Amino acid sequence: MRAVVLALALVGATAWVPGRAPMRMSATVDKKVTHDTTKSKEIFAEAKGIMPGGVSSPVRAFNSVGGEPVVFDRVKGAYCWDVDENKYVDYVGTWGPAIVGHADDEVLDALKKQMDKGTSFGAPSALENVLAKAVIDAVPSVEMVRFTNSGTEACMGMIRLVRAFTGREKVIKFNGCYHGHADSFLVQAGSGVATLGLPDSPGTPAGATKDTLVAKYNDIESVKALLKDHDVAAVILEPVVGNSGFIPPTQEFLEELRSLCDGQKTLLVFDEVMTGFRIAYGGAQQHFGVTPDVTTMGKVIGGGLPVGAYGGRKDIMEMVAPAGPMYQAGTLSGNPLAMTAGLKTMEILNRPGSYEQLAEKTERLIAGILKAGKDAGHDVCGGSISGMFGFFFCAGPVTCFEEAEASDREKFGRWHRAMLERGVYLAPSQFEAGFMSLAHSDEDIDHTIAMAKEVMEML
């Protein structure tokens, strides 16, 4: 196995060595980095001839950070290995689901037992009941839930539902919030759209977005202005933005949104595909104490398998077919593998101390990165909530997408490449949050902070 051997700059610190167990090292730092990605380059070159851009989802292509992506071979715990046998500490975690660590042994054991019974039924399964009850018990807003196969599917069902329930067509979203790639949402959508510099997607008909109104995140006056002039079915937001980088809301912003929606008989929707079961067991709504009418979920509740869900008050959810007239369906929805992985993941998360561990690890990581940046003379700002974090190359604070756009993205690209070469895998876009897992060790975090210090001094 080829491995990059790295030593820490701190006397007596614990060094993390890709491909080997942590060991004690001397106080010197070897800044000669060997990062061979020959096989990754070969595979990606072939991929570009058979898949658009060489990837199955745009942000994976590394377009916004420069260079080419590494091609994964396997993952385990807090680590991923590429096809050239380079090992990385992973803070993407398959974009959030790997909250208990990649390929967790307990989750794998549960899946192996289920696979002997079958991988897909296309019929009712008792596992759906068990996971549905677990979600309802955990998430304050959810009295009934419908499972789907992705967060995008969940948001597609959700927007049809809020319109059917209210009899209104217009919805308010926020600049930089991403709710999947359905036509109605591809308006100032952040995430991959922002990464590629596309304000909207070609092929989206004007009629599909004419009823989508856009407000400014953390700016309640922009919402008031839209509600004053329009009958709105729902106000939809990421309660903590993860698709413009990590941008938390103010408590007052969420509370005022709840009050405004109540006054207008407008539904409040939290898209918790990213935050659900990550920043708290009951999601952002539990963390902030603000309960929406409808919630979309995904990622963590599938334990790393394709899944999505939307749920809410019973009177709203009973609009969904076959209980009601609002149609939505899916061949693989509620499939037993996703239900099994989700259940075991939620069981692990619900054990005492899980979220305290996530918070402590993440806070130490982001504090170390920010200190490294400031000590090296860079303008940096950022933060975390539980196992979700992010930072920007700007003085900050960053409270909305417009401010995120003003950060130094060229510097972020250089930072990303240098950290990758030193065994740290981060989201390949300034406009994506990072994720901690229960599997990350103190040595992993020490290694990451040490490499951040080295790279910040080089930039």
Side-chain angles (χ1 to χ4, degrees):
M1 176 184 289
R2 284 190 294 271
V4 183
V5 180
L6 299 164
L8 300 187
L10 304 176
V11 175
T14 301
W16 181 94
V17 182
R20 300 181 186 173
M23 58 189 293
R24 305 296 290 184
M25 297 286 289
S26 69
T28 61
V29 173
D30 179 6
K31 293 192 177 183
K32 294 179 181 178
V33 176
T34 302
H35 186 241
D36 182 4
T37 57
T38 301
K39 291 182 180 178
S40 282
K41 290 176 181 177
E42 291 173 354
I43 293 170
F44 189 60
E46 179 186 44
K48 287 190 285 187
I50 54 180
M51 295 184 289
V55 292
S56 296
S57 188
V59 74
R60 301 177 192 175
F62 279 36
N63 286 355
S64 71
V65 292
E68 293 187 338
V70 292
V71 177
F72 279 23
D73 177 65
R74 63 193 185 280
V75 293
K76 185 67 178 177
Y79 313 119
C80 53
W81 288 261
D82 66 24
V83 291
D84 293 278
E85 291 296 339
N86 297 304
K87 179 183 178 183
Y88 309 89
V89 183
D90 180 20
Y91 294 104
V92 178
T94 188
W95 302 97
I99 192 168
V100 300
H102 289 296
D104 176 80
D105 289 341
E106 292 185 64
V107 175
L108 290 182
D109 287 344
L111 283 171
K112 290 169 185 174
K113 291 177 182 177
Q114 178 54 48
M115 287 178 71
D116 288 339
K117 298 180 179 182
T119 60
S120 179
F121 296 158
S125 161
L127 289 167
E128 294 173 84
N129 290 19
V130 181
L131 185 57
K133 286 188 288 186
V135 170
I136 291 166
D137 287 344
V139 183
S141 66
V142 178
E143 296 175 351
M144 297 186 83
V145 63
R146 166 59 63 85
F147 292 114
T148 65
N149 294 291
S150 69
T152 287
E153 278 191 26
C155 289
M156 291 170 65
M158 171 273 294
I159 194 170
R160 188 178 301 153
L161 173 62
V162 297
R163 285 168 166 163
F165 183 78
T166 62
R168 304 172 183 176
E169 295 187 0
K170 295 189 184 300
V171 296
I172 295 175
K173 71 175 292 291
F174 292 85
N175 191 9
C177 284
Y178 178 72
H179 307 291
H181 58 77
D183 286 353
S184 297
F185 291 122
L186 287 180
V187 181
Q188 299 180 33
S191 191
V193 178
T195 294
L196 296 173
L198 302 174
D200 300 292
S201 174
T204 302
T209 58
K210 69 180 179 65
D211 291 318
T212 303
L213 310 173
V214 181
K216 184 177 179 180
Y217 197 79
N218 272 325
D219 183 346
I220 200 66
E221 295 303 320
S222 70
V223 182
K224 289 179 180 178
L226 292 173
L227 287 173
K228 180 181 178 181
D229 296 331
H230 303 279
D231 288 328
V232 174
V235 175
I236 304 163
L237 74 156
E238 293 180 80
V240 177
V241 181
N243 287 288
S244 299
F246 174 80
I247 304 176
T250 66
Q251 183 71 35
E252 295 75 17
F253 177 63
L254 294 183
E255 290 175 355
E256 288 195 62
L257 282 179
R258 178 69 276 175
S259 179
L260 279 175
C261 288
D262 288 342
Q264 297 287 327
K265 298 189 184 306
T266 294
L267 299 180
L268 179 62
V269 179
F270 281 5
D271 181 347
E272 297 226 43
V273 168
M274 191 172 288
T275 56
F277 298 94
R278 172 156 286 279
I279 69 170
Y281 192 67
Q285 55 199 264
Q286 179 188 45
H287 178 84
F288 291 102
V290 177
T291 303
D293 300 295
V294 177
T295 300
T296 57
M297 295 160 282
K299 297 187 184 291
V300 170
I301 64 165
L305 274 69
V307 77
Y310 59 102
R313 292 190 342 235
K314 190 172 184 179
D315 61 321
I316 299 173
M317 292 301 297
E318 286 181 334
M319 289 288 296
V320 180
M326 195 287 290
Y327 192 76
Q328 179 267 317
T331 299
L332 296 174
S333 296
N335 79 82
L337 291 184
M339 301 296 100
T340 296
L343 279 167
K344 181 54 69 172
T345 298
M346 288 174 62
E347 177 193 321
I348 295 169
L349 289 173
N350 204 27
R351 293 170 186 168
S354 293
Y355 287 94
E356 289 79 4
Q357 286 183 52
L358 285 170
E360 187 278 329
K361 292 176 181 182
T362 313
E363 289 166 8
R364 189 161 75 85
L365 173 69
I366 193 64
I369 291 173
L370 293 176
K371 184 178 186 301
K374 291 174 182 177
D375 287 350
H378 300 288
D379 286 334
V380 290
C381 67
S384 66
I385 300 177
S386 188
M388 183 177 175
F389 69 92
F391 84 99
F392 298 91
F393 279 106
C394 63
V398 171
T399 64
C400 61
F401 181 64
E402 292 82 356
E403 293 167 356
E405 276 195 306
S407 65
D408 192 336
R409 285 176 277 168
E410 186 275 334
K411 184 180 287 186
F412 179 88
R414 289 188 284 124
W415 145 270
H416 181 274
R417 174 55 56 175
M419 291 296 283
L420 186 74
E421 291 171 349
R422 287 160 176 78
V424 180
Y425 190 82
L426 299 159
S429 170
Q430 176 69 88
F431 300 126
E432 296 286 355
F435 302 106
M436 183 67 71
S437 81
L438 292 174
H440 285 83
S441 68
D442 289 340
E443 290 79 14
D444 297 329
I445 296 168
D446 288 341
H447 165 72
T448 304
I449 293 171
M451 295 304 99
K453 184 176 187 297
E454 182 177 313
V455 171
M456 290 292 189
E457 290 172 352
M458 291 169 49
L459 290 179

